[in-house]
Amino acid sequence: MAKLEEIKGFFMDLQDRICGGLEELDGSGTKFVQDLWERPGGGGGRTRVFAGGDVIVKGGVNFSHVHGPMPAKIANKLKLDEGAQFHATGVSIVLHPLNPYVPIIHSNVRYFEVEGGTFWFGGGIDVTPAYIDLEQGRAFHQLMKDTCDKTDSAYYPKFKKWADDYFYLPHRNETRGIGGIFFDHLRTDKDKHFQFVQDVGNAFVPSYRPLVEQNRVKAYGQRELDWQLHRRSRYVEFNLVHDAGTKFGLETGGRTESILMSMPPMASWGYAYAPEPDTPEAETQSLLKPMEWVPIHV
Amino acid sequence: MAKLEEIKGFFMDLQDRICGGLEELDGSGTKFVQDLWERPGGGGGRTRVFAGGDVIVKGGVNFSHVHGPMPAKIANKLKLDEGAQFHATGVSIVLHPLNPYVPIIHSNVRYFEVEGGTFWFGGGIDVTPAYIDLEQGRAFHQLMKDTCDKTDSAYYPKFKKWADDYFYLPHRNETRGIGGIFFDHLRTDKDKHFQFVQDVGNAFVPSYRPLVEQNRVKAYGQRELDWQLHRRSRYVEFNLVHDAGTKFGLETGGRTESILMSMPPMASWGYAYAPEPDTPEAETQSLLKPMEWVPIHV
């Protein structure tokens, strides 16, 4: 069975490969800047941030491995014993693009274990376009389905629905974007689940590449930038009001700057802002709901 | 004893007077725009928004009176009986100024009652400058103290501390601004507490006037605008992560646009953004902690 060190090693290598892949995809010569940090209670992380590229205006690819006796707040949340030795490790990614036609992408792969044998994997990839392109959405979801199907054909329908349910803003009655996959508490078969998490991590750059390459050259003006700023405000609202990982991190004394690297570089709020009817913006607004992107044969 | 209709009447009149006072203070000829709304379960509100003035770039002065059988979510939060007839009414205000030297101001006065005799008042006024001016902070707090002292000399120290405790971002280890006063659950003496809430409501325009008049003419450039955008991001974080009223409103199905009119027109997040040492921005950063603004003799 996969051991902690092997899993951690995969995550560190994944961070390296994703940063390299994104630098190449961006193509501006801009490099990730690394910030090493230590957690007072044990462990730490490698926060890597990217700013001012040709494609990515602000982004982060963070690795962390924190461990030690479980703080009371975390133990209460997870219904585990306070003080038990735990390890949590993973990679989390948020990329905010410059061009409004290139979607925001978010991904996370993570592993948690606590002394006594309890462990689980979690993760996912999801996409938030300011302008939804149906064909690109289908291709992204097809890749998510193909990635899932390698391990279990029941995964895509289950984890796609999980993402639809999770990346949802009830106070706006809209999804954050076009979803993707989201999963947590995979704990029944360690080797199978580790293989799946590796497949998901390795699918990150290939899933973003076409979304970048097909959209980065599209022309835009103030109108598209205004709409992007508006959509980013919904991203902020989701992350600060609903995102369980953000809330958990902030409440349990996680490293604020690493958690909130997910925030966009700039966002705007207008009172009762809504797109004009029969515009591309209104079309995207109408598509912010759970959709059947690819046929599912369970 | 003051009756609901009298209290509600005061709040509606207060909204009129504050909107008039702010239009006059802004001086651009821009007027508040009213949005009437109804709550499906009973009651509704008059949302009034202001955009694009000479002083205030985005703001709202909202009156609401909602009533009906208490929804389960609200009853659980307040530990009251589901289905009991309740009334909640009040005025809430957030103003985002154009000039980075003019502070953001927030105020709320509110009254709640439920059948059987339970009632309480709450409210407060607090100020969030991007650049803290100590003399202006002292004058603002002196006015808050004078307003409190008219009813009870124990109020200012107690409600000033309440504001310091409430308008605090633990994940940033900083206060939102220079505080002010905050109070809730005033329920022992209805006429005294209603008089106090009237005094607080009536103190709003006089408290903001000097902050506008002394700062609106100050020159600023990109540097000050960048800092303002940064400080506004903390305002967003406070409201979406911590503010009890915002959370309560969003979770209990309040009117989203009226609740989130508190959001700034624009905000920015930079990774690990921090002011250079020995700058006005660093000085403000160092003052984002509870301060003794005026001498207290209890």
Side-chain angles (χ1 to χ4, degrees):
Chain A
M1 276 211 311
K3 290 280 197 302
L4 173 68
E5 282 309 310
E6 185 188 345
I7 297 165
K8 176 181 173 178
F10 169 77
F11 287 149
M12 296 183 81
D13 179 60
L14 180 69
Q15 183 194 33
D16 287 341
R17 288 184 290 113
I18 288 175
C19 288
L22 290 172
E23 286 170 354
E24 184 240 318
L25 191 57
D26 186 79
S28 63
T30 307
K31 300 288 179 191
F32 277 89
V33 175
Q34 177 166 285
D35 218 350
L36 293 175
W37 54 274
E38 288 187 11
R39 175 174 171 273
R46 299 195 307 209
T47 291
R48 290 189 185 157
V49 295
F50 191 92
D54 282 354
V55 171
I56 301 158
V57 61
K58 179 174 181 237
V61 178
N62 298 345
F63 163 81
S64 65
H65 171 218
V66 302
H67 58 81
M70 196 167 326
K73 277 189 175 179
I74 299 183
N76 290 339
K77 287 241 167 204
L78 300 177
K79 299 187 171 70
L80 291 167
D81 293 337
E82 180 180 345
Q85 292 292 320
F86 82 101
H87 291 267
T89 183
V91 173
S92 67
I93 309 166
V94 177
L95 304 175
H96 289 283
L98 183 65
N99 187 317
Y101 289 105
V102 180
I104 303 167
I105 192 164
H106 159 250
S107 177
N108 177 255
V109 279
R110 57 187 181 273
Y111 171 74
F112 182 88
E113 72 171 37
V114 60
E115 61 179 334
T118 298
F119 73 89
W120 64 79
F121 291 95
I125 308 179
D126 71 283
V127 163
T128 305
Y131 291 93
I132 295 177
D133 179 302
L134 292 172
E135 198 177 324
Q136 292 179 6
R138 280 190 286 271
F140 169 74
H141 273 272
Q142 187 64 52
L143 180 61
M144 292 299 100
K145 182 172 185 300
D146 293 345
T147 303
C148 288
D149 285 354
K150 282 204 280 181
T151 299
D152 192 325
S153 65
Y155 275 6
Y156 175 74
K158 188 174 171 187
F159 299 159
K160 184 267 185 194
K161 181 177 186 309
W162 204 337
D164 285 338
D165 293 345
Y166 185 83
F167 297 107
Y168 175 70
L169 288 84
H171 67 283
R172 299 292 185 185
N173 190 26
E174 64 188 35
T175 54
R176 184 167 83 168
I178 62 167
I181 55 172
F182 183 93
F183 54 94
D184 205 3
H185 304 292
L186 298 189
R187 64 206 313 168
T188 52
D189 182 333
K190 197 170 193 176
D191 287 335
K192 171 181 162 180
H193 294 148
F194 181 38
Q195 184 57 53
F196 175 60
V197 159
Q198 292 176 75
D199 291 343
V200 171
N202 291 332
F204 177 78
V205 174
S207 73
Y208 201 39
R209 185 182 300 281
L211 296 171
V212 168
E213 289 178 346
Q214 292 168 34
N215 298 308
R216 66 183 295 172
V217 295
K218 290 182 181 166
Y220 59 87
Q222 196 56 48
R223 171 192 174 137
E224 290 79 12
L225 290 169
D226 287 346
W227 177 246
Q228 181 188 44
L229 286 168
H230 166 70
R231 293 309 314 161
R232 283 178 179 164
S233 75
R234 302 304 191 252
Y235 206 84
V236 170
E237 290 178 16
F238 178 82
N239 284 16
L240 296 183
V241 177
H242 292 291
D243 186 55
T246 302
K247 287 166 88 163
F248 184 85
L250 295 179
E251 284 173 16
T252 56
R255 184 173 184 267
T256 297
E257 286 297 342
S258 298
I259 297 165
L260 295 186
M261 67 94 188
S262 63
M263 293 293 105
M266 190 94 80
S268 73
W269 281 263
Y271 174 74
Y273 184 96
E276 296 288 318
D278 303 316
T279 58
E281 292 80 12
E283 195 200 344
T284 283
Q285 185 70 53
S286 75
L287 296 172
L288 292 171
K289 61 189 180 191
M291 307 253 289
E292 198 192 307
W293 291 96
V294 291
I296 297 165
H297 308 288
V298 189
Chain B
M1 274 210 313
K3 291 279 196 303
L4 173 67
E5 282 309 309
E6 186 188 346
I7 297 165
K8 176 181 172 178
F10 169 77
F11 287 150
M12 294 184 82
D13 179 61
L14 180 68
Q15 182 193 34
D16 287 341
R17 289 185 289 113
I18 288 176
C19 288
L22 290 172
E23 286 170 356
E24 184 239 318
L25 191 56
D26 186 78
S28 63
T30 307
K31 300 288 179 191
F32 277 89
V33 175
Q34 177 165 285
D35 218 349
L36 294 175
W37 53 274
E38 288 187 12
R39 175 174 172 271
R46 298 194 308 207
T47 291
R48 290 188 185 160
V49 296
F50 191 93
D54 282 355
V55 172
I56 301 158
V57 62
K58 180 175 179 234
V61 179
N62 298 343
F63 162 81
S64 66
H65 170 219
V66 302
H67 58 80
M70 198 171 320
K73 276 189 174 179
I74 299 183
N76 291 338
K77 287 242 165 200
L78 298 177
K79 298 189 172 69
L80 291 168
D81 293 336
E82 182 180 343
Q85 291 293 320
F86 82 102
H87 291 267
T89 183
V91 172
S92 67
I93 308 165
V94 176
L95 304 175
H96 289 282
L98 183 67
N99 187 316
Y101 289 106
V102 180
I104 303 167
I105 192 164
H106 160 250
S107 177
N108 178 256
V109 280
R110 58 188 179 271
Y111 171 74
F112 182 88
E113 73 171 35
V114 60
E115 60 178 336
T118 298
F119 73 88
W120 65 78
F121 291 95
I125 307 179
D126 71 284
V127 163
T128 306
Y131 291 92
I132 294 177
D133 179 300
L134 291 173
E135 198 177 324
Q136 292 179 6
R138 280 191 285 271
F140 168 74
H141 273 271
Q142 187 63 53
L143 180 60
M144 292 299 101
K145 182 172 184 301
D146 294 344
T147 303
C148 288
D149 286 354
K150 282 203 280 181
T151 299
D152 192 326
S153 65
Y155 275 5
Y156 175 74
K158 186 174 172 189
F159 298 158
K160 185 266 186 195
K161 181 177 186 308
W162 204 337
D164 285 338
D165 293 345
Y166 185 83
F167 297 107
Y168 175 70
L169 288 81
H171 67 282
R172 299 291 184 186
N173 190 25
E174 63 189 35
T175 53
R176 183 166 83 168
I178 63 167
I181 56 171
F182 183 93
F183 53 94
D184 205 2
H185 303 294
L186 298 189
R187 63 205 316 168
T188 54
D189 182 333
K190 196 169 192 178
D191 288 335
K192 171 180 162 180
H193 293 149
F194 180 39
Q195 185 57 52
F196 176 60
V197 160
Q198 291 175 74
D199 291 343
V200 171
N202 291 331
F204 177 77
V205 173
S207 73
Y208 200 39
R209 185 182 299 281
L211 297 171
V212 168
E213 288 178 347
Q214 292 167 34
N215 298 308
R216 66 183 296 172
V217 295
K218 290 183 181 165
Y220 59 89
Q222 195 56 47
R223 169 191 175 137
E224 291 80 10
L225 289 170
D226 286 346
W227 177 245
Q228 181 188 44
L229 286 169
H230 167 70
R231 294 307 314 160
R232 283 178 180 166
S233 75
R234 302 303 193 250
Y235 205 84
V236 170
E237 290 178 16
F238 177 82
N239 285 15
L240 296 183
V241 178
H242 293 291
D243 185 55
T246 302
K247 287 166 89 162
F248 183 85
L250 294 180
E251 284 174 17
T252 55
R255 185 173 182 267
T256 297
E257 286 297 341
S258 298
I259 298 165
L260 295 185
M261 67 96 188
S262 62
M263 294 292 104
M266 190 95 80
S268 73
W269 281 263
Y271 175 75
Y273 184 95
E276 296 289 317
D278 302 316
T279 58
E281 292 81 12
E283 194 201 345
T284 284
Q285 186 70 53
S286 75
L287 296 172
L288 292 172
K289 62 190 180 190
M291 307 254 289
E292 198 191 307
W293 291 96
V294 291
I296 296 167
H297 308 288
V298 188

